[in-house]
Protein backbone atom coordinates (compact mmCIF):
# COMPACT_ATOMS: atom_id res chain seq x y z
CA UNK A 1 0.00 0.00 0.00
CA UNK A 2 1.57 3.28 -1.10
CA UNK A 3 1.58 6.16 1.31
CA UNK A 4 -0.93 8.91 0.50
CA UNK A 5 0.56 12.16 -0.77
CA UNK A 6 -0.22 13.90 2.53
CA UNK A 7 2.50 11.77 4.11
CA UNK A 8 4.99 12.13 1.26
CA UNK A 9 4.99 15.79 0.26
CA UNK A 10 6.80 18.07 2.69
CA UNK A 11 6.82 21.55 1.19
CA UNK A 12 6.70 23.70 -1.92
CA UNK A 13 8.96 26.72 -2.47
CA UNK A 14 9.61 29.44 -5.00
CA UNK A 15 12.94 30.99 -5.99
CA UNK A 16 13.08 33.96 -8.39
CA UNK A 17 15.76 35.70 -10.39
CA UNK A 18 14.79 39.31 -11.09
CA UNK A 19 15.78 41.74 -13.82
CA UNK A 20 18.68 42.98 -11.62
CA UNK A 21 20.10 39.47 -11.57
CA UNK A 22 19.32 38.92 -7.88
CA UNK A 23 18.23 35.43 -6.86
CA UNK A 24 15.83 35.30 -3.92
CA UNK A 25 13.89 32.74 -1.96
CA UNK A 26 10.45 34.29 -2.36
CA UNK A 27 7.88 31.99 -0.81
CA UNK A 28 7.21 28.56 0.64
CA UNK A 29 4.39 26.53 2.10
CA UNK A 30 4.01 25.28 4.81
CA UNK A 31 7.67 25.90 5.76
CA UNK A 32 11.27 25.13 4.89
CA UNK A 33 14.08 25.40 7.45
CA UNK A 34 16.77 28.04 6.94
CA UNK A 35 19.34 25.27 6.51
CA UNK A 36 17.34 23.61 3.74
CA UNK A 37 16.64 26.97 2.06
CA UNK A 38 20.37 27.69 1.82
CA UNK A 39 20.90 24.22 0.34
CA UNK A 40 18.09 24.61 -2.20
CA UNK A 41 19.38 28.00 -3.33
CA UNK A 42 22.73 26.32 -3.95
CA UNK A 43 21.12 23.47 -5.92
CA UNK A 44 18.97 25.79 -7.96
CA UNK A 45 20.83 26.61 -11.20
CA UNK A 46 19.89 30.30 -10.98
CA UNK A 47 22.65 30.91 -8.43
CA UNK A 48 25.23 29.22 -10.64
CA UNK A 49 27.94 31.46 -12.10
CA UNK A 50 28.03 29.62 -15.41
CA UNK A 51 24.43 30.64 -16.15
CA UNK A 52 23.48 27.22 -17.51
CA UNK A 53 19.80 26.47 -17.23
CA UNK A 54 18.97 23.03 -15.84
CA UNK A 55 15.28 22.43 -16.31
CA UNK A 56 15.07 19.73 -13.64
CA UNK A 57 17.37 18.55 -10.85
CA UNK A 58 16.81 16.31 -7.87
CA UNK A 59 18.71 15.04 -4.87
CA UNK A 60 18.56 14.14 -1.22
CA UNK A 61 19.75 15.82 1.94
CA UNK A 62 19.30 14.33 5.40
CA UNK A 63 16.54 12.00 4.24
CA UNK A 64 14.57 14.72 2.52
CA UNK A 65 14.30 14.54 -1.27
CA UNK A 66 14.27 17.76 -3.26
CA UNK A 67 13.04 18.36 -6.80
CA UNK A 68 13.64 21.64 -8.64
CA UNK A 69 12.18 22.75 -11.95
CA UNK A 70 13.48 26.00 -13.45
CA UNK A 71 11.99 28.03 -16.28
CA UNK A 72 12.85 31.18 -18.14
CA UNK A 73 10.09 33.77 -18.13
CA UNK A 74 9.13 34.89 -21.62
CA UNK A 75 6.41 37.46 -22.20
CA UNK A 76 4.39 36.72 -19.08
CA UNK A 77 2.40 39.86 -18.22
CA UNK A 78 2.04 38.53 -14.65
CA UNK A 79 5.82 38.41 -14.07
CA UNK A 80 7.31 41.60 -15.49
CA UNK A 81 10.30 41.89 -13.15
CA UNK A 82 11.24 38.22 -13.15
CA UNK A 83 13.61 36.64 -15.69
CA UNK A 84 13.63 33.08 -14.33
CA UNK A 85 12.11 31.15 -11.46
CA UNK A 86 12.43 27.74 -9.85
CA UNK A 87 9.72 25.71 -8.19
CA UNK A 88 11.03 23.47 -5.43
CA UNK A 89 9.27 20.48 -3.90
CA UNK A 90 10.58 18.59 -0.90
CA UNK A 91 9.24 15.12 -0.22
CA UNK A 92 9.88 11.88 1.62
CA UNK A 93 10.00 9.69 -1.48
CA UNK A 94 12.24 9.17 -4.49
CA UNK A 95 10.16 9.75 -7.62
CA UNK A 96 11.71 12.17 -10.14
CA UNK A 97 9.08 11.61 -12.84
CA UNK A 98 6.19 12.28 -10.47
CA UNK A 99 7.63 15.49 -9.09
CA UNK A 100 8.88 16.70 -12.48
CA UNK A 101 5.31 16.40 -13.78
CA UNK A 102 3.86 18.19 -10.76
CA UNK A 103 6.42 21.02 -10.73
CA UNK A 104 5.83 21.60 -14.47
CA UNK A 105 2.14 22.20 -13.75
CA UNK A 106 2.99 24.53 -10.86
CA UNK A 107 5.31 26.46 -13.21
CA UNK A 108 2.54 26.93 -15.74
CA UNK A 109 0.22 28.17 -13.01
CA UNK A 110 2.80 30.67 -11.76
CA UNK A 111 3.63 31.91 -15.26
CA UNK A 112 -0.03 32.59 -15.82
CA UNK A 113 -1.04 34.13 -12.48
CA UNK A 114 2.23 35.42 -11.05
CA UNK A 115 0.94 34.67 -7.57
CA UNK A 116 1.87 31.80 -5.23
CA UNK A 117 -1.74 31.56 -4.02
CA UNK A 118 -2.86 29.59 -7.08
CA UNK A 119 0.13 27.27 -6.71
CA UNK A 120 -0.73 26.70 -3.10
CA UNK A 121 -4.27 25.67 -4.09
CA UNK A 122 -2.93 23.00 -6.45
CA UNK A 123 -0.39 21.88 -3.87
CA UNK A 124 -3.12 21.45 -1.27
CA UNK A 125 -5.30 19.61 -3.80
CA UNK A 126 -2.51 17.09 -4.43
CA UNK A 127 -1.76 16.90 -0.73
CA UNK A 128 -5.35 16.07 0.19
CA UNK A 129 -6.73 14.32 -2.90
CA UNK A 130 -3.62 13.21 -4.81
CA UNK A 131 -4.84 15.09 -7.88
CA UNK A 132 -4.96 18.54 -9.42
CA UNK A 133 -6.86 19.23 -12.60
CA UNK A 134 -7.23 22.23 -14.81
CA UNK A 135 -8.08 22.77 -18.43
CA UNK A 136 -5.18 24.97 -19.43
CA UNK A 137 -2.42 23.83 -17.06
CA UNK A 138 -2.80 20.09 -17.46
CA UNK A 139 -3.75 17.44 -14.91
CA UNK A 140 -1.62 15.63 -12.40
CA UNK A 141 -2.60 12.38 -10.76
CA UNK A 142 -0.08 11.15 -8.21
CA UNK A 143 -1.17 7.52 -8.37
CA UNK A 144 0.03 7.38 -12.00
CA UNK A 145 3.55 7.37 -10.59
CA UNK A 146 4.30 4.41 -8.37
CA UNK A 147 7.68 3.95 -6.69
CA UNK A 148 8.52 0.77 -8.59
CA UNK A 149 8.23 2.69 -11.88
CA UNK A 150 10.70 5.25 -10.55
CA UNK A 151 13.09 2.48 -9.51
CA UNK A 152 12.97 1.00 -13.01
CA UNK A 153 13.16 4.27 -14.95
CA UNK A 154 16.93 4.29 -15.47
CA UNK A 155 18.79 2.13 -17.96
CA UNK A 156 21.05 -0.66 -16.68
CA UNK A 157 21.85 -1.49 -20.31
CA UNK A 158 23.38 1.96 -20.82
CA UNK A 159 25.60 1.47 -17.78
CA UNK A 160 26.78 -1.93 -19.01
CA UNK A 161 27.40 -0.66 -22.54
CA UNK A 162 29.64 2.01 -21.00
CA UNK A 163 31.48 -0.10 -18.40
CA UNK A 164 31.17 -3.69 -19.62
CA UNK A 165 32.75 -6.24 -17.25
CA UNK A 166 33.73 -3.43 -14.88
CA UNK A 167 30.03 -3.12 -13.95
CA UNK A 168 30.77 -5.96 -11.52
CA UNK A 169 32.94 -3.53 -9.51
CA UNK A 170 29.86 -1.35 -9.02
CA UNK A 171 27.76 -4.42 -8.19
CA UNK A 172 30.30 -5.60 -5.59
CA UNK A 173 30.60 -2.14 -4.04
CA UNK A 174 26.81 -1.89 -3.72
CA UNK A 175 26.46 -5.41 -2.31
CA UNK A 176 29.10 -4.60 0.31
CA UNK A 177 27.47 -1.20 1.07
CA UNK A 178 30.56 0.76 0.10
CA UNK A 179 30.78 4.49 -0.70
CA UNK A 180 30.58 5.27 -4.42
CA UNK A 181 31.34 8.75 -5.76
CA UNK A 182 30.43 9.61 -9.35
CA UNK A 183 31.84 12.59 -11.20
CA UNK A 184 30.66 14.19 -14.46
CA UNK A 185 30.57 17.91 -15.38
CA UNK A 186 26.93 17.61 -16.52
CA UNK A 187 24.39 17.20 -13.73
CA UNK A 188 21.90 15.49 -16.09
CA UNK A 189 24.44 12.73 -16.84
CA UNK A 190 25.10 12.24 -13.11
CA UNK A 191 21.42 12.00 -12.25
CA UNK A 192 20.65 9.51 -15.01
CA UNK A 193 23.56 7.25 -14.07
CA UNK A 194 23.37 7.38 -10.27
CA UNK A 195 19.60 6.86 -10.06
CA UNK A 196 20.00 3.53 -11.88
CA UNK A 197 22.77 2.05 -9.70
CA UNK A 198 20.59 0.91 -6.75
CA UNK A 199 18.80 -1.42 -9.20
CA UNK A 200 21.98 -3.55 -9.29
CA UNK A 201 21.03 -4.62 -5.76
CA UNK A 202 17.32 -4.90 -6.48
CA UNK A 203 16.65 -7.22 -3.51
CA UNK A 204 17.12 -4.24 -1.18
CA UNK A 205 14.95 -1.80 -3.16
CA UNK A 206 16.72 0.92 -1.26
CA UNK A 207 17.04 4.27 -3.00
CA UNK A 208 17.83 6.09 0.25
CA UNK A 209 21.52 5.41 -0.54
CA UNK A 210 21.25 7.79 -3.51
CA UNK A 211 22.56 11.36 -3.19
CA UNK A 212 22.48 12.38 -6.82
CA UNK A 213 23.51 16.02 -6.46
CA UNK A 214 26.12 16.90 -3.84
CA UNK A 215 28.28 20.02 -3.62
CA UNK A 216 31.70 20.10 -1.97
CA UNK A 217 30.17 21.99 0.90
CA UNK A 218 30.99 21.26 4.54
CA UNK A 219 27.41 20.69 5.77
CA UNK A 220 26.57 18.49 2.82
CA UNK A 221 29.71 16.40 3.18
CA UNK A 222 29.15 15.97 6.93
CA UNK A 223 25.62 14.73 6.26
CA UNK A 224 26.94 12.38 3.57
CA UNK A 225 29.66 10.98 5.83
CA UNK A 226 27.01 10.09 8.40
CA UNK A 227 25.63 7.48 5.96
CA UNK A 228 27.02 3.94 5.87
CA UNK A 229 27.17 3.24 2.14
CA UNK A 230 26.07 5.66 -0.53
CA UNK A 231 26.10 6.72 -4.17
CA UNK A 232 26.99 10.40 -4.41
CA UNK A 233 27.04 12.50 -7.57
CA UNK A 234 29.31 15.54 -8.03
CA UNK A 235 29.84 17.95 -10.92
CA UNK A 236 33.02 19.37 -9.39
CA UNK A 237 36.16 17.55 -10.59
CA UNK A 238 37.92 18.43 -7.33
CA UNK A 239 36.02 15.58 -5.72
CA UNK A 240 38.57 13.15 -7.22
CA UNK A 241 41.14 14.35 -4.70
CA UNK A 242 38.74 13.83 -1.77
CA UNK A 243 39.69 10.22 -1.10
CA UNK A 244 38.06 10.50 2.35
CA UNK A 245 34.68 10.46 0.56
CA UNK A 246 34.84 7.28 -1.49
CA UNK A 247 35.71 3.60 -1.68
CA UNK A 248 34.98 3.52 -5.40
CA UNK A 249 35.40 6.56 -7.67
CA UNK A 250 33.60 6.66 -11.02
CA UNK A 251 34.75 9.22 -13.55
CA UNK A 252 31.71 9.04 -15.78
CA UNK A 253 33.12 11.52 -18.29
CA UNK A 254 36.14 9.29 -18.97
CA UNK A 255 34.41 5.93 -18.27
CA UNK A 256 36.94 5.08 -15.56
CA UNK A 257 36.35 3.26 -12.27
CA UNK A 258 38.95 3.48 -9.50
CA UNK A 259 38.91 1.30 -6.39
CA UNK A 260 40.42 2.98 -3.33
CA UNK A 261 43.33 1.14 -1.61
CA UNK A 262 41.23 1.17 1.60
CA UNK A 263 38.80 -1.40 0.16
CA UNK A 264 41.13 -3.28 -2.23
CA UNK A 265 41.11 -6.29 0.11
CA UNK A 266 37.31 -6.45 0.62
CA UNK A 267 36.77 -5.91 -3.11
CA UNK A 268 39.22 -8.55 -4.37
CA UNK A 269 37.81 -9.97 -7.61
CA UNK A 270 37.85 -13.69 -8.32
CA UNK A 271 36.03 -16.47 -10.19
CA UNK A 272 32.64 -15.60 -8.69
CA UNK A 273 32.97 -11.95 -9.73
CA UNK A 274 33.95 -12.99 -13.22
CA UNK A 275 30.81 -15.17 -13.40
CA UNK A 276 28.63 -12.31 -12.19
CA UNK A 277 30.30 -9.88 -14.59
CA UNK A 278 29.74 -12.21 -17.54
CA UNK A 279 26.12 -12.74 -16.55
CA UNK A 280 25.54 -8.98 -16.34
CA UNK A 281 27.18 -8.31 -19.71
CA UNK A 282 25.44 -11.21 -21.47
CA UNK A 283 22.06 -10.23 -20.15
CA UNK A 284 22.50 -6.53 -20.92
CA UNK A 285 23.76 -7.16 -24.44
CA UNK A 286 20.75 -9.29 -25.34
CA UNK A 287 18.69 -7.05 -27.65
CA UNK A 288 15.49 -8.92 -26.76
CA UNK A 289 15.79 -8.15 -23.05
CA UNK A 290 14.35 -5.04 -21.46
CA UNK A 291 16.13 -3.19 -18.65
CA UNK A 292 13.80 -4.71 -16.10
CA UNK A 293 14.60 -8.23 -17.37
CA UNK A 294 18.31 -7.48 -16.98
CA UNK A 295 17.66 -6.31 -13.42
CA UNK A 296 15.75 -9.55 -12.79
CA UNK A 297 18.62 -11.69 -14.14
CA UNK A 298 21.11 -9.94 -11.87
CA UNK A 299 18.70 -10.21 -8.96
CA UNK A 300 18.35 -13.99 -9.41
CA UNK A 301 22.13 -14.34 -9.25
CA UNK A 302 22.14 -12.19 -6.09
CA UNK A 303 19.47 -14.45 -4.54
CA UNK A 304 21.70 -17.49 -5.23
CA UNK A 305 24.61 -15.79 -3.45
CA UNK A 306 22.40 -14.80 -0.50
CA UNK A 307 21.05 -18.37 -0.28
CA UNK A 308 24.63 -19.69 -0.13
CA UNK A 309 25.35 -17.22 2.63
CA UNK A 310 22.17 -18.15 4.52
CA UNK A 311 23.17 -21.84 4.42
CA UNK A 312 26.33 -20.92 6.32
CA UNK A 313 24.57 -19.13 9.14
CA UNK A 314 23.23 -20.25 12.48
CA UNK A 315 20.88 -18.81 15.04
CA UNK A 316 22.55 -18.78 18.42
CA UNK A 317 21.80 -17.84 22.04
CA UNK A 318 18.30 -16.46 21.62
CA UNK A 319 19.55 -14.08 18.97
CA UNK A 320 16.81 -13.55 16.37
CA UNK A 321 19.22 -12.74 13.56
CA UNK A 322 21.23 -15.60 12.05
CA UNK A 323 24.99 -15.05 12.14
CA UNK A 324 27.71 -16.40 9.91
CA UNK A 325 29.36 -19.61 11.05
CA UNK A 326 32.96 -18.85 10.03
CA UNK A 327 33.96 -22.50 10.45
CA UNK A 328 31.24 -23.67 8.04
CA UNK A 329 32.43 -21.06 5.54
CA UNK A 330 36.03 -22.32 5.76
CA UNK A 331 34.97 -25.96 5.34
CA UNK A 332 33.31 -25.13 2.03
CA UNK A 333 36.78 -24.51 0.59
CA UNK A 334 35.57 -21.79 -1.73
CA UNK A 335 38.18 -19.98 -3.83
CA UNK A 336 39.81 -17.31 -1.58
CA UNK A 337 38.12 -14.36 -3.36
CA UNK A 338 34.68 -16.02 -3.01
CA UNK A 339 35.20 -16.76 0.69
CA UNK A 340 36.44 -13.21 1.17
CA UNK A 341 33.40 -11.76 -0.62
CA UNK A 342 30.94 -13.87 1.38
CA UNK A 343 32.62 -12.85 4.62
CA UNK A 344 32.44 -9.13 3.75
CA UNK A 345 28.87 -9.55 2.51
CA UNK A 346 27.95 -11.10 5.87
CA UNK A 347 29.52 -8.05 7.53
CA UNK A 348 27.52 -5.68 5.28
CA UNK A 349 24.33 -7.58 6.08
CA UNK A 350 25.18 -7.44 9.80
CA UNK A 351 25.51 -11.20 10.07
CA UNK A 352 28.81 -11.33 11.92
CA UNK A 353 29.05 -12.25 15.57
CA UNK A 354 30.01 -9.16 17.51
Amino acid sequence: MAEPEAQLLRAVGLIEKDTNGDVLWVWCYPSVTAELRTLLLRKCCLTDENQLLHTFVFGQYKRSWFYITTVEVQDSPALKKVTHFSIVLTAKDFNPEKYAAFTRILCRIYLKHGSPVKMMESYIAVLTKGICQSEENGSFLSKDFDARKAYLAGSIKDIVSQFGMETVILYTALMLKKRIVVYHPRIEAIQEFTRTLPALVWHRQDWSILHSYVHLNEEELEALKACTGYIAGFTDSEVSSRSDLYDVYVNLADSEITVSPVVKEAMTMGKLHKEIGQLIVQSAEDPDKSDSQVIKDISLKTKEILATLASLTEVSDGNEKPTLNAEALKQKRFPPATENFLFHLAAAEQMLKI
Side-chain angles (χ1 to χ4, degrees), residues 16 20 34 41 56 92 110 112 122 127 186 194 198 219 245 265 291 330 341:
E16 285 182 351
N20 301 325
L41 276 164
F56 182 67
K92 286 184 197 169
Y110 192 57
K112 190 178 172 198
S122 294
L127 201 60
R186 278 182 50 247
T194 56
E219 284 85 29
L245 295 175
E265 187 264 331
D291 279 295
K330 282 211 168 48
F341 176 64

Side-chain angles (χ1 to χ4, degrees), residues 2 6 12 28 53 88 90 115 127 149 166 177 197 199 203 211 229 242 289 293 296 322 325:
V12 56
C28 63
L53 189 73
V88 180
T90 60
S115 137
L127 201 60
K149 250 194 215 163
E166 288 206 315
K177 299 186 179 174
L197 288 181
H203 66 290
H211 301 260
R242 292 294 305 263
K289 284 191 173 170
Q293 284 170 307
K296 197 173 175 184
N325 177 338

Side-chain angles (χ1 to χ4, degrees), residues 147-161:
R148 197 187 153 85
K149 250 194 215 163
Y151 294 164
L152 291 168
S155 172
I156 285 275
K157 292 185 133 192
D158 287 354
I159 291 179
V160 180
S161 77

Side-chain angles (χ1 to χ4, degrees), residues 118-313:
K118 292 280 183 209
M119 283 198 296
M120 189 166 96
E121 286 170 11
S122 294
Y123 179 83
I124 291 172
V126 169
L127 201 60
T128 52
K129 302 195 278 282
I131 181 166
C132 69
Q133 277 165 309
S134 70
E135 299 301 306
E136 69 279 35
N137 303 315
S139 299
F140 170 81
L141 183 61
S142 69
K143 68 168 191 293
D144 287 345
F145 302 91
D146 67 278
R148 197 187 153 85
K149 250 194 215 163
Y151 294 164
L152 291 168
S155 172
I156 285 275
K157 292 185 133 192
D158 287 354
I159 291 179
V160 180
S161 77
Q162 184 171 1
F163 289 101
M165 279 295 279
E166 288 206 315
T167 310
V168 75
I169 301 173
L170 302 171
Y171 170 85
T172 307
L174 288 160
M175 284 289 280
L176 300 182
K177 299 186 179 174
K178 298 298 181 199
R179 301 164 307 153
I180 301 174
V181 160
V182 181
Y183 159 74
H184 194 287
R186 278 182 50 247
I187 183 61
E188 291 80 3
I190 293 272
Q191 308 225 287
E192 200 45 49
F193 180 82
T194 56
R195 71 166 299 171
T196 311
L197 288 181
L200 284 170
V201 283
W202 182 255
H203 66 290
R204 292 193 188 124
Q205 299 213 5
D206 180 11
W207 262 252
S208 72
I209 60 172
L210 174 63
H211 301 260
S212 53
Y213 190 16
V214 189
H215 280 81
L216 288 173
N217 157 282
E218 241 7 85
E219 284 85 29
E220 286 188 51
L221 298 181
E222 281 316 303
L224 189 62
K225 285 175 170 178
C227 311
T228 338
Y230 52 73
I231 301 157
F234 292 83
T235 54
D236 184 342
S237 60
E238 265 178 52
V239 72
S240 65
S241 60
R242 292 294 305 263
S243 53
D244 57 319
L245 295 175
Y246 58 81
D247 300 317
V248 172
Y249 179 73
V250 182
N251 181 330
L252 198 54
D254 296 339
S255 305
E256 281 171 7
I257 299 178
T258 311
V259 178
S260 152
V262 185
V263 291
K264 273 279 198 299
E265 187 264 331
M267 303 254 314
T268 307
M269 300 285 153
K271 186 168 156 282
L272 174 69
H273 298 84
K274 192 177 172 184
E275 261 171 46
I276 299 165
Q278 283 167 337
L279 174 128
I280 293 173
V281 170
Q282 249 170 338
S283 177
E285 284 178 351
D286 183 337
D288 298 330
K289 284 191 173 170
S290 65
D291 279 295
S292 54
Q293 284 170 307
V294 177
I295 290 168
K296 197 173 175 184
D297 288 345
I298 300 168
S299 185
L300 286 170
K301 184 66 184 169
T302 303
K303 283 204 173 91
E304 257 175 56
I305 294 167
L306 292 169
T308 304
L309 190 58
S311 72
L312 303 168
T313 59

Side-chain angles (χ1 to χ4, degrees), residues 17 23 41-57 68-72 84-86 184-189 213 215 235:
K17 186 174 196 168
V23 178
L41 276 164
R42 184 163 55 244
K43 301 296 171 197
C44 153
C45 60
L46 300 179
T47 54
D48 209 0
E49 285 84 67
N50 66 18
Q51 306 278 313
L52 273 180
L53 189 73
H54 302 291
T55 43
F56 182 67
V57 297
I68 307 173
T69 288
T70 303
V71 294
E72 190 176 349
H84 303 77
F85 66 86
S86 298
H184 194 287
R186 278 182 50 247
I187 183 61
E188 291 80 3
Y213 190 16
H215 280 81
T235 54

